[in-house]
Amino acid sequence: MSTATATATATAARARRAGAVADTWVIARRGLLHMRRQPEALADATIQPIMFVLLFAYVFGGAIAVPGGGSYREFLMGGIFAQTIVFGAFGVAIALAYDRTNGAIDRFHSLPIARGTVLAGHAVASLIKALLPIALMSLAGLVVGWRIHAGVLDAMGAYALMIAFSFAIIWVGVLLGSLVGTPEGVQGVAFVAIFPITFVASTFVPTSTLPGVLRTFAEWNPVTALAGALRHLFGNPGGVPPADGPWPLLHPVAYTLIWAVGIVVVCAPVAMRLYQRSIAS
């Protein structure tokens, strides 16, 4: 009797997990369909990254010296990749806020779906969406003169690192969308919180050019670590760690991974809890 009960319990657990996965994919597929039917909503993932690459490559291309020499356009690409990935928090936060204001969340929870699948579905859709700007920036970078000088495995590691950090940043957006109830509020808060982080970093200029406190902040900024890790893995200028730099600059890949794991571990459960509280109130 106990064996039959245990078997039935295990079967029910597997069915619940399968149901949660299926529900998550339904929500994610809905988000992807919205992107296809509203192409203007993809401006942040298509036009903006290409615009940043072209503007900074041609405007600042001859004005900023890269430590150790080399092409500024190749130095730039690691920073543009990092900045665009962090900006990905905007998209998922705004999408979640729209669903909260247009009644979609209420309709979802009137259905027999697993708890947390709405947030998980938004996260999956946003992760798939994040692949688009990475691909477009790579093509735009090749046009302006960026090249990968490392081996195939290092290059694959760089793209894998971008995907991993994109997944982490998505949960920052989910947390923001769970805290702020309107798309306008999300845009205001995200702009104030995220925009400075991407600029007080080695995104566009070496950290050695920054003064005092800003330099220290930039050296420990995960955006700097991500940009440095990508330059290192792609074999681009600025990718050689300084001999006397702080730990994040000496180990950019490890520091970026630590941040990615930490963000998911902290933000995912907090976002789930805040989301459940917001829809229950």
Short mmCIF file of all heavy atoms in Angstrom, two decimals, residues 73-96:
data_model
loop_
_atom_site.label_atom_id
_atom_site.label_comp_id
_atom_site.label_asym_id
_atom_site.label_seq_id
_atom_site.Cartn_x
_atom_site.Cartn_y
_atom_site.Cartn_z
N ARG A 73 37.21 50.93 -31.54
CA ARG A 73 35.97 50.28 -31.96
C ARG A 73 35.91 48.85 -31.44
O ARG A 73 34.82 48.36 -31.13
CB ARG A 73 35.87 50.32 -33.49
CG ARG A 73 35.70 51.74 -34.03
CD ARG A 73 35.64 51.78 -35.54
NE ARG A 73 35.57 53.16 -36.02
CZ ARG A 73 35.54 53.51 -37.29
NH1 ARG A 73 35.57 52.57 -38.24
NH2 ARG A 73 35.49 54.77 -37.63
N GLU A 74 37.03 48.19 -31.36
CA GLU A 74 37.03 46.84 -30.79
C GLU A 74 36.89 46.90 -29.27
O GLU A 74 36.23 46.05 -28.66
CB GLU A 74 38.31 46.11 -31.19
CG GLU A 74 38.37 45.78 -32.68
CD GLU A 74 39.44 44.75 -33.01
OE1 GLU A 74 40.40 44.63 -32.22
OE2 GLU A 74 39.29 44.08 -34.03
N PHE A 75 37.50 47.91 -28.64
CA PHE A 75 37.33 48.12 -27.20
C PHE A 75 35.87 48.41 -26.88
O PHE A 75 35.32 47.93 -25.88
CB PHE A 75 38.21 49.28 -26.76
CG PHE A 75 37.99 49.74 -25.34
CD1 PHE A 75 38.64 49.12 -24.28
CD2 PHE A 75 37.11 50.79 -25.05
CE1 PHE A 75 38.43 49.54 -22.97
CE2 PHE A 75 36.90 51.21 -23.75
CZ PHE A 75 37.57 50.59 -22.71
N LEU A 76 35.22 49.18 -27.76
CA LEU A 76 33.85 49.62 -27.53
C LEU A 76 32.86 48.46 -27.46
O LEU A 76 31.93 48.49 -26.65
CB LEU A 76 33.44 50.57 -28.66
CG LEU A 76 31.97 50.99 -28.73
CD1 LEU A 76 31.62 51.92 -27.57
CD2 LEU A 76 31.69 51.69 -30.06
N MET A 77 33.06 47.44 -28.27
CA MET A 77 32.04 46.41 -28.40
C MET A 77 31.74 45.68 -27.09
O MET A 77 30.59 45.37 -26.80
CB MET A 77 32.43 45.41 -29.49
CG MET A 77 32.32 45.97 -30.90
SD MET A 77 30.69 46.65 -31.27
CE MET A 77 29.65 45.22 -31.04
N GLY A 78 32.75 45.41 -26.29
CA GLY A 78 32.50 44.77 -25.00
C GLY A 78 31.59 45.61 -24.13
O GLY A 78 30.68 45.09 -23.45
N GLY A 79 31.80 46.93 -24.14
CA GLY A 79 30.95 47.82 -23.36
C GLY A 79 29.54 47.93 -23.91
O GLY A 79 28.57 47.97 -23.15
N ILE A 80 29.40 47.97 -25.23
CA ILE A 80 28.07 48.05 -25.84
C ILE A 80 27.28 46.78 -25.54
O ILE A 80 26.08 46.83 -25.22
CB ILE A 80 28.18 48.26 -27.35
CG1 ILE A 80 28.76 49.65 -27.65
CG2 ILE A 80 26.82 48.12 -28.02
CD1 ILE A 80 27.83 50.80 -27.35
N PHE A 81 27.94 45.63 -25.65
CA PHE A 81 27.27 44.38 -25.28
C PHE A 81 26.77 44.44 -23.84
O PHE A 81 25.61 44.11 -23.54
CB PHE A 81 28.23 43.19 -25.42
CG PHE A 81 28.38 42.66 -26.82
CD1 PHE A 81 29.64 42.56 -27.41
CD2 PHE A 81 27.29 42.24 -27.55
CE1 PHE A 81 29.79 42.06 -28.69
CE2 PHE A 81 27.43 41.74 -28.84
CZ PHE A 81 28.69 41.66 -29.42
N ALA A 82 27.65 44.86 -22.93
CA ALA A 82 27.30 44.90 -21.51
C ALA A 82 26.16 45.87 -21.25
O ALA A 82 25.21 45.56 -20.52
CB ALA A 82 28.53 45.28 -20.68
N GLN A 83 26.23 47.06 -21.84
CA GLN A 83 25.19 48.06 -21.62
C GLN A 83 23.83 47.57 -22.11
O GLN A 83 22.82 47.70 -21.41
CB GLN A 83 25.55 49.36 -22.33
CG GLN A 83 24.52 50.46 -22.10
CD GLN A 83 24.65 51.59 -23.11
OE1 GLN A 83 24.63 51.36 -24.32
NE2 GLN A 83 24.79 52.81 -22.63
N THR A 84 23.79 47.00 -23.30
CA THR A 84 22.52 46.55 -23.87
C THR A 84 21.92 45.42 -23.05
O THR A 84 20.70 45.35 -22.87
CB THR A 84 22.73 46.11 -25.33
OG1 THR A 84 23.29 47.20 -26.07
CG2 THR A 84 21.41 45.70 -25.96
N ILE A 85 22.76 44.53 -22.54
CA ILE A 85 22.27 43.44 -21.70
C ILE A 85 21.63 43.99 -20.43
O ILE A 85 20.55 43.55 -20.01
CB ILE A 85 23.41 42.47 -21.38
CG1 ILE A 85 23.77 41.66 -22.62
CG2 ILE A 85 23.04 41.54 -20.22
CD1 ILE A 85 25.04 40.85 -22.48
N VAL A 86 22.27 44.98 -19.80
CA VAL A 86 21.70 45.57 -18.58
C VAL A 86 20.42 46.32 -18.89
O VAL A 86 19.45 46.27 -18.11
CB VAL A 86 22.74 46.49 -17.91
CG1 VAL A 86 22.13 47.23 -16.72
CG2 VAL A 86 23.95 45.69 -17.46
N PHE A 87 20.36 46.99 -20.03
CA PHE A 87 19.13 47.68 -20.41
C PHE A 87 17.98 46.71 -20.64
O PHE A 87 16.82 47.12 -20.70
CB PHE A 87 19.35 48.49 -21.69
CG PHE A 87 20.02 49.83 -21.47
CD1 PHE A 87 20.30 50.66 -22.54
CD2 PHE A 87 20.35 50.25 -20.20
CE1 PHE A 87 20.90 51.89 -22.34
CE2 PHE A 87 20.97 51.47 -19.98
CZ PHE A 87 21.24 52.30 -21.07
N GLY A 88 18.28 45.42 -20.78
CA GLY A 88 17.23 44.42 -20.96
C GLY A 88 16.26 44.36 -19.80
O GLY A 88 15.14 43.85 -19.95
N ALA A 89 16.68 44.88 -18.64
CA ALA A 89 15.76 44.90 -17.49
C ALA A 89 14.56 45.78 -17.77
O ALA A 89 13.47 45.55 -17.23
CB ALA A 89 16.50 45.40 -16.24
N PHE A 90 14.73 46.82 -18.60
CA PHE A 90 13.61 47.70 -18.94
C PHE A 90 12.47 46.92 -19.56
O PHE A 90 11.31 47.06 -19.18
CB PHE A 90 14.07 48.77 -19.95
CG PHE A 90 14.78 49.95 -19.36
CD1 PHE A 90 16.15 49.96 -19.25
CD2 PHE A 90 14.07 51.05 -18.93
CE1 PHE A 90 16.81 51.05 -18.72
CE2 PHE A 90 14.72 52.16 -18.41
CZ PHE A 90 16.10 52.15 -18.30
N GLY A 91 12.80 46.10 -20.57
CA GLY A 91 11.77 45.44 -21.36
C GLY A 91 10.87 44.54 -20.55
O GLY A 91 9.63 44.63 -20.64
N VAL A 92 11.46 43.67 -19.75
CA VAL A 92 10.64 42.72 -18.98
C VAL A 92 9.85 43.45 -17.91
O VAL A 92 8.69 43.10 -17.63
CB VAL A 92 11.52 41.60 -18.38
CG1 VAL A 92 12.53 42.15 -17.40
CG2 VAL A 92 10.65 40.56 -17.70
N ALA A 93 10.43 44.49 -17.30
CA ALA A 93 9.70 45.23 -16.27
C ALA A 93 8.49 45.94 -16.85
O ALA A 93 7.40 45.93 -16.27
CB ALA A 93 10.65 46.24 -15.60
N ILE A 94 8.67 46.55 -18.02
CA ILE A 94 7.55 47.26 -18.65
C ILE A 94 6.47 46.29 -19.12
O ILE A 94 5.28 46.53 -18.96
CB ILE A 94 8.07 48.11 -19.82
CG1 ILE A 94 8.92 49.28 -19.29
CG2 ILE A 94 6.91 48.65 -20.66
CD1 ILE A 94 9.60 50.08 -20.36
N ALA A 95 6.89 45.14 -19.68
CA ALA A 95 5.91 44.14 -20.13
C ALA A 95 5.08 43.64 -18.96
O ALA A 95 3.85 43.48 -19.07
CB ALA A 95 6.63 42.99 -20.81
N LEU A 96 5.73 43.37 -17.83
CA LEU A 96 5.01 42.90 -16.65
C LEU A 96 4.09 43.98 -16.10
O LEU A 96 2.95 43.70 -15.70
CB LEU A 96 6.01 42.45 -15.58
CG LEU A 96 5.45 41.79 -14.33
CD1 LEU A 96 4.64 40.56 -14.69
CD2 LEU A 96 6.59 41.41 -13.38
#
